Amino acid sequence: MSFFRITLHRSAIGLPERTRGVLAALGLRKRMQTVFHPVEPQFAGMIFKVKELVRVEEVRERLSAGEVRRARTPDAGFYVERAVRRM
């Protein structure tokens, strides 16, 4: 079974109540929040209503909150091999 991975990319501030209701029905409250829903027509219709505000990917399995957090964490970038003596 596949899932929609839906991430709220833009804020709903100032948008109509109906649009905010669709986001609430999807379970999205904060920017950059990610939720997973099965690939079904009712979820596809809700996504279509707010397509300008969300990013959607189709994934094979649902990730846990910890796995989503680890995927969003950037690499360390660099590490210190040897400390330099300070003067």
Side-chain angles (χ1 to χ4, degrees):
M1 179 175 211
S2 59
F3 293 90
F4 286 128
R5 178 182 178 168
I6 309 164
T7 303
L8 183 60
H9 183 67
R10 299 199 52 187
S11 174
I13 294 174
L15 294 177
E17 184 68 33
R18 187 171 183 159
T19 304
R20 286 183 279 157
V22 172
L23 290 175
L26 285 171
L28 295 168
R29 295 182 308 273
K30 298 183 276 186
R31 281 188 65 233
M32 301 310 292
Q33 182 182 6
T34 300
V35 294
F36 292 88
H37 289 291
V39 176
E40 294 178 356
Q42 64 266 23
F43 292 116
M46 285 192 277
I47 291 168
F48 189 72
K49 294 280 187 187
V50 294
K51 64 184 177 288
E52 298 87 9
L53 306 175
V54 297
R55 288 188 178 161
V56 181
E57 299 175 48
E58 190 173 338
V59 294
R60 290 182 44 91
E61 59 187 27
R62 182 180 296 203
L63 300 176
S64 69
E67 291 170 331
V68 171
R69 193 175 311 112
R70 278 192 295 277
R72 289 190 55 212
T73 303
D75 294 332
F78 67 93
Y79 59 94
V80 177
E81 289 184 12
R82 181 179 50 157
V84 178
R85 193 172 69 112
R86 307 259 175 179
M87 299 204 158

